[in-house]
Amino acid sequence: MTAKAANEKSRLVSWLGITPSQVLAFVSCLILFVMMLLTFIDVTGRYIFNSPLPALHEIISYMMPGLIFCIMPLVCTQEGHVTIDLFDVFLSQRLKQLQGFVVNLIGCGTMIFISWRLAEKSATHYEFNEVTDDLYLRIWLFSLLMAVLSACAAVALFFNVIDYITGKRKNPPVFKTASK
Amino acid sequence: MILALFGFVALLTLSFLRVPIAFSMVLVGFFGMALANGWEGALANVGQTAFDSAINYELSVVPLFILMGNFVTKAKLSEELYAASNAFLGHLRGGLAMATIVSCGGFSAVCGSSMATAATMSKVAMPSMVKYGYDKGLAAGSIAAGGTLGILIPPSVMLVIYGILTQSSIGKLFAAGIIPGIIGIVFYLAAVQVVIRINPKLGPPGERVSWARRIESLKGVWGVITLFIFVMGGIYGGIFSPTEAAGIGAFGAFIFAVSRKTLTLKIFYEVLIESASTTAMLFTVLIGALLFANFINLTTFPDALLAIAGNFRDQPQLVIIAILIIYLLLGCIFESLSMILLTVPLFFPLVQELGFDPIWFGIVVVVITEISLITPPVGLNVFVLRGVLPDVATSLIFKGVTPYWIADLFRLAVIVSFPILSLWLPSFVR
């Protein structure tokens, strides 16, 4: 690969893989923080001012998929899912690279599959014009969003596969546990 | 039955090949359902389960408690906790290890995660123990073991997950965890004393502190006590739902961290990223586990289990012992959350059928999960310590932690034998 081609490839990876992951991760963080604030405001509103936030259960319920699925591409990029790495010590370097390739390929396939099923689910929601109980939000929008974000996670995993092919990644990372 | 067994073998094979456990469960769950009940149902189930798991108010308690734990960690409340425990216990032989365990117990009261507790306390307790010439194995072992209390002493993310899986009251589960948690601390302290009696050189005494300074040190722990009383008292008294308590707790921890000036913008963002990532990782496992459980429920496996258990109706204790042995073995290999999500849907109907209390079983499951966090070869808390203390060999930490998991086996026996220890406090929950 020439230097120019390599440069273009890394820009492509950055634009399609890393940057969207980071932007989405920011959105996820924002949702989490707002969720915390809303809960706090609701409880203080209820006990101090006798006026809780209306429909908060529903708002928080529908914030959850945003929180979970927006950060998913970043978790996938960092290979942050729970794995059993018991046999890592027995594998040679080449096998580890092959393992990283296969595992990310399987992960990518699984996320595409989940994305497809959620898209189908969204189509059903759309067909029956389903809305939420309190705020009459259109549910298909949320299921579609989950499908699209799962697809983004699949893209992130696909770039991991490429990294293992090109040798940019050589070892699947050790499962980071400190925050769990 | 055969299909379910093939499913378990496929799941283990994929997981051992290092496919993330969540993805392994999704794939095996889907293909299993398709083989058991046709493709159309299986395809519909995947979309439905993924959607329902994510859009769920009850489950919003999980990210909020994770967030609270991460804010508390950054607020450095751990330092005061350790200073106070140290002031009271540090001068005894093995006192610093004992202080570590007590402060781990205290930290667990505001943090729902074992690994976060171990990681946080290691930064505070290890330098002090090294300074006083403690054996590194004993020192690291006391942190790894003390850390396990995080998922038992409320708030606890594991108890929340168990509560949601089994439709049990989270408030009652939290209350149930308190006494077994205290028993855990007492047994760990006894383990330190036994080790020190055998070889006093492993844990020499630290400095004696005057009573005035001891009382002074207690002032430092008001933050932890306030947060605990607010969150647990709220749930206990029926003032907050668990989700509300988690939101309030996270907000309180956030205010603590801000007021103590430990929260720069960078650290604040790190906390949010870490909490959101952990949540996503956890929910992916949850979706996978639900799909896998749906598959298993379509097979004859649950009925076969119930039939086997039915033979032991006169001696239900034997079934519990069998379940405990399975957990101990699984715990050696599996990560704790995956283990709970995989096994609870299978064993819970058995336990209910035999007339055991769901709250008590939840505590038993969590205690056994705690043991799995420190048993080789996959003791996640030991790996946390290995990450934080790179110069201490893993084998040395496993050696240091051995007296603690032996103490844990005794604790498990006590909790299994005397359900009242777990069920007394929940009887007061409104």
Side-chain angles (χ1 to χ4, degrees):
Chain A
M1 198 186 284
T2 63
K4 193 181 165 196
N7 198 19
E8 271 178 14
K9 188 193 145 263
S10 78
R11 266 174 56 191
L12 186 75
V13 170
S14 169
W15 271 102
L16 288 174
I18 300 164
T19 312
S21 300
Q22 285 169 346
V23 172
L24 287 170
F26 177 77
V27 176
S28 175
C29 291
L30 200 66
I31 292 175
L32 179 59
F33 192 65
V34 171
M35 197 188 262
M36 178 192 87
L37 287 180
L38 285 179
T39 318
F40 175 75
I41 293 168
D42 177 58
V43 176
T44 38
R46 192 173 66 213
Y47 283 105
I48 299 175
F49 306 107
N50 205 17
S51 83
L53 290 176
L56 188 71
H57 276 223
E58 193 169 289
I59 295 171
I60 289 198
S61 302
Y62 282 84
M63 284 170 92
M64 285 291 287
L67 161 63
I68 299 162
F69 283 86
C70 280
I71 195 106
M72 202 71 93
L74 186 75
V75 174
C76 289
T77 301
Q78 296 174 341
E79 299 182 63
H81 286 293
V82 188
T83 48
I84 296 182
D85 49 13
L86 203 57
F87 298 121
D88 279 13
V89 279
F90 304 115
L91 295 182
S92 67
Q93 185 55 54
R94 279 189 77 84
L95 272 176
K96 277 186 185 168
Q97 194 169 339
L98 180 68
Q99 187 187 41
F101 164 76
V102 174
V103 162
N104 278 284
L105 198 61
I106 293 176
C108 178
T110 313
M111 283 318 287
I112 290 173
F113 175 60
I114 291 176
S115 169
W116 169 47
R117 293 321 307 158
L118 283 166
E120 286 277 336
K121 186 82 205 149
S122 176
T124 316
H125 286 148
Y126 183 77
E127 197 180 320
F128 292 97
N129 201 17
E130 288 184 42
V131 291
T132 62
D133 294 336
D134 294 329
L135 300 170
Y136 303 111
L137 304 169
R138 288 170 200 284
I139 295 180
W140 69 268
L141 281 169
F142 293 92
S143 35
L144 183 65
L145 188 76
M146 287 160 77
V148 171
L149 291 168
S150 302
C152 292
V155 171
L157 286 163
F158 177 71
F159 281 119
N160 292 356
V161 172
I162 292 180
D163 280 352
Y164 279 106
I165 294 174
T166 56
K168 196 174 163 196
R169 289 187 198 218
K170 291 190 168 65
N171 290 321
V174 176
F175 174 46
K176 280 194 224 126
T177 48
S179 61
K180 270 112 209 167
Chain B
M1 180 77 178
I2 302 283
L3 188 60
L5 291 178
F6 267 119
F8 281 115
V9 172
L11 176 66
L12 281 177
T13 312
L14 280 174
S15 303
F16 282 141
L17 289 173
R18 221 182 193 280
V19 175
I21 295 174
F23 296 157
S24 309
M25 290 194 290
V26 169
L27 292 175
V28 177
F30 166 67
F31 284 110
M33 279 190 286
L35 290 174
N37 209 25
W39 294 93
E40 206 174 314
L43 283 170
N45 203 307
V46 174
Q48 187 71 43
T49 307
F51 182 79
D52 288 346
S53 315
I55 297 185
N56 187 325
Y57 176 75
E58 272 193 321
L59 281 171
S60 62
V61 63
V62 173
L64 291 172
F65 269 134
I66 293 173
L67 184 64
M68 173 182 165
N70 284 341
F71 274 136
V72 164
T73 304
K74 299 296 180 200
K76 295 205 162 69
L77 293 169
S78 50
E79 287 173 9
E80 277 91 347
L81 268 175
Y82 187 69
S85 324
N86 204 0
F88 282 87
L89 297 166
H91 64 285
L92 302 171
R93 277 194 301 184
L96 291 168
M98 288 160 67
T100 303
I101 284 159
V102 171
S103 41
C104 279
F107 194 75
S108 302
V110 281
C111 177
S113 148
S114 282
M115 284 167 241
T117 305
T120 311
M121 291 314 301
S122 64
K123 286 171 202 152
V124 188
M126 197 67 189
S128 172
M129 286 194 273
V130 170
K131 185 179 149 199
Y132 282 96
Y134 267 58
D135 172 68
K136 282 188 178 165
L138 174 70
S142 62
I143 302 168
T148 65
L149 295 167
I151 53 168
L152 180 62
I153 298 179
S156 152
V157 174
M158 287 295 166
L159 284 175
V160 168
I161 300 270
Y162 175 88
I164 290 167
L165 276 181
T166 61
Q167 305 281 309
S168 309
S169 150
I170 292 170
K172 286 191 173 181
L173 281 166
F174 278 4
I178 295 176
I179 293 179
I182 295 170
I183 297 174
I185 295 176
V186 173
F187 277 30
Y188 283 161
L189 295 182
V192 175
Q193 281 307 310
V194 171
V195 171
I196 295 299
R197 290 280 148 84
I198 296 169
N199 187 356
K201 283 185 195 154
L202 295 180
E207 274 170 48
R208 184 178 281 277
V209 173
S210 69
W211 272 101
R213 273 183 57 196
R214 284 181 191 174
I215 304 295
E216 180 74 23
S217 74
L218 281 181
K219 286 183 192 159
V221 297
W222 71 272
V224 172
I225 295 173
T226 313
L227 213 52
F228 178 75
I229 290 179
F230 216 63
V231 171
M232 286 315 299
I235 298 178
Y236 207 71
I239 302 168
F240 310 137
S241 71
T243 302
E244 289 167 352
I248 300 252
F251 188 77
F254 167 67
I255 296 295
F256 266 120
V258 170
S259 65
R260 294 160 68 97
K261 298 192 173 65
T262 53
L263 208 61
T264 60
L265 204 59
K266 184 168 170 270
I267 293 176
F268 172 62
Y269 192 56
E270 271 171 20
V271 166
L272 290 174
I273 285 270
E274 229 173 78
S275 309
S277 301
T278 308
T279 307
M281 172 227 92
L282 213 141
F283 272 78
T284 328
V285 178
L286 179 73
I287 293 170
L290 289 175
L291 286 171
F292 190 79
N294 289 347
F295 151 54
I296 294 295
N297 283 331
L298 287 175
T299 67
T300 52
F301 191 75
D303 292 336
L305 270 189
L306 279 176
I308 295 169
N311 296 334
F312 294 94
R313 207 172 289 278
D314 300 334
Q315 293 158 301
Q317 302 86 344
L318 288 182
V319 178
I320 290 292
I321 291 171
I323 290 177
L324 294 183
I325 293 171
I326 294 172
Y327 269 114
L328 284 173
L329 293 176
L330 278 180
C332 292
I333 309 165
F334 261 90
E335 179 268 341
S336 49
L337 173 74
S338 325
M339 184 171 84
I340 287 194
L341 287 172
L342 264 180
T343 54
V344 167
L346 269 183
F347 293 146
F348 187 69
L350 282 188
V351 172
Q352 263 192 323
E353 172 83 11
L354 293 170
F356 290 104
D357 191 289
I359 302 283
W360 166 82
F361 185 62
I363 299 301
V364 171
V365 168
V366 169
V367 170
I368 214 154
T369 308
E370 284 185 276
I371 301 177
S372 81
L373 290 170
I374 50 174
T375 42
V378 185
L380 289 185
N381 265 21
V382 172
F383 293 164
V384 170
L385 265 279
R386 183 188 65 183
V388 183
L389 313 164
D391 57 327
V392 185
T394 310
S395 54
L396 192 65
I397 309 178
F398 271 126
K399 196 177 150 208
V401 94
T402 307
Y404 298 105
W405 65 256
I406 293 174
D408 268 342
L409 291 180
F410 281 106
R411 171 166 54 131
L412 185 63
V414 169
I415 289 166
V416 171
S417 311
F418 302 102
I420 186 74
L421 294 171
S422 314
L423 298 176
W424 183 62
L425 279 181
S427 62
F428 298 103
V429 174
R430 280 193 214 165

